[in-house]
């Protein structure tokens, strides 16, 4: 309960920050995009891992304001990079199942991007396989609406759930990010390869 109250205050007090992990084309070495990663700098506990606070945020519904803050901050950064002439490609923003199923996500993304001056075609939303499969019909509708707005869509952690490639091929997805448990030892383990 204390952590829940502190997380709620963290959004209001500016304790969250975004770190950007570059996406690099291995053939050319060129930075082709970035992924926005949220971090919580607690004034007393120091850096709190997203692995600890994101599940709490999802469980309590705080993921809605946290997720909107992340989206807004990522859009603001895209605009800043664009204004200074730095091309970053698309910026990936993680979206939780709660955001996908409890908010009108396409409308929220469009509104926030417009308010922050971020072109929609500079965003890529990353959803986990499990979040999409939680309500397949609603997910498919939301994904189609997002794709129609020019937003690219990625499935993160693919292979950890129960979806089939047959089902996924019917969704408007651009990127399939295979879970690290399948590719972590690809150079040393023949079955992974």
């Amino acid at each position: 309960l204390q952590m829940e109250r502190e997380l709620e205050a963290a959004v209001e007090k500016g304790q969250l920050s975004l770190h950007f992990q570059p996406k690099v084309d291995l053939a050319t070495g060129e930075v082709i995009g970035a992924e926005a990663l949220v971090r919580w700098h607690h004034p007393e506990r120091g850096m709190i891992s997203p692995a600890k606070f994101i599940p709490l945020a999802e469980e309590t519904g705080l993921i809605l304001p946290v997720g909107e803050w992340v989206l807004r901050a990522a859009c603001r950064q895209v605009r800043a990079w664009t204004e200074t002439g730095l091309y970053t490609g698309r910026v990936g923003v993680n979206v939780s199942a709660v955001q996908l199923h409890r908010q009108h996500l396409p409308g929220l993304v469009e509104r926030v991007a417009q308010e922050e001056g971020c072109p929609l075609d500079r965003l890529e939303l990353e959803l986990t396989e499990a979040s999409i499969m939680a309500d397949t019909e609603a997910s498919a509708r939301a994904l189609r609406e997002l794709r129609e707005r020019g937003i690219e869509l990625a499935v993160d952690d693919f292979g950890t759930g129960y979806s089939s490639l047959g089902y996924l091929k019917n969704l408007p997805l651009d990127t399939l990010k295979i879970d690290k448990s399948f590719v972590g030892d690809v150079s040393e383990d023949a079955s992974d390869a």
Side-chain angles (χ1 to χ4, degrees):
L1 288 174
Q2 180 179 349
M3 190 172 218
E4 179 183 345
R5 285 190 303 272
E6 291 173 347
L7 180 56
E8 191 171 4
V11 177
E12 298 164 8
K13 294 180 178 178
Q15 296 173 1
L16 300 180
S17 66
L18 282 188
H19 293 218
F20 291 90
Q21 177 177 315
K23 294 180 183 179
V24 178
D25 181 324
L26 292 179
T28 66
E30 177 185 6
V31 175
I32 56 171
E35 182 174 353
L37 305 169
V38 65
R39 299 293 183 255
W40 179 11
H41 304 276
H42 191 282
E44 291 148 14
R45 299 181 200 191
M47 186 73 79
I48 298 177
S49 167
K52 288 188 178 179
F53 75 85
I54 294 296
L56 173 68
E58 288 178 334
E59 181 183 318
T60 61
L62 286 172
I63 196 66
L64 299 176
V66 168
E68 183 172 340
W69 181 91
V70 169
L71 177 63
R72 191 169 294 282
C75 285
R76 199 174 302 124
Q77 186 63 62
V78 166
R79 184 191 73 228
W81 283 333
T82 301
E83 288 173 352
T84 58
L86 295 174
Y87 177 72
T88 59
R90 292 181 187 267
V91 172
V93 176
N94 292 296
V95 175
S96 79
V98 176
Q99 290 172 278
L100 181 61
H101 299 295
R102 288 191 22 202
Q103 286 182 317
H104 182 253
L105 189 61
L108 172 72
V109 172
E110 187 170 42
R111 177 179 55 80
V112 168
Q114 184 177 29
E115 289 171 1
E116 298 299 336
C118 174
L120 287 171
D121 65 357
R122 299 288 303 282
L123 294 175
E124 177 182 63
L125 299 183
E126 297 187 11
L127 304 106
T128 63
E129 176 185 7
S131 69
I132 293 171
M133 300 311 292
D135 184 344
T136 54
E137 285 185 35
S139 295
R141 275 192 307 275
L143 294 176
R144 278 191 292 276
E145 278 188 62
L146 289 161
R147 195 66 190 96
E148 287 168 4
R149 288 170 163 87
I151 299 164
E152 285 201 0
L153 302 167
V155 175
D156 201 4
D157 300 334
F158 180 74
T160 58
Y162 301 102
S163 62
S164 71
L165 287 173
Y167 177 76
L168 288 180
K169 76 177 187 173
N170 296 318
L171 295 173
L173 302 170
D174 300 289
T175 304
L176 194 64
K177 295 174 70 176
I178 300 170
D179 187 71
K180 66 182 175 184
S181 63
F182 291 99
V183 296
D185 295 323
V186 74
S187 61
E188 292 93 30
D189 185 330
S191 65
D192 282 355

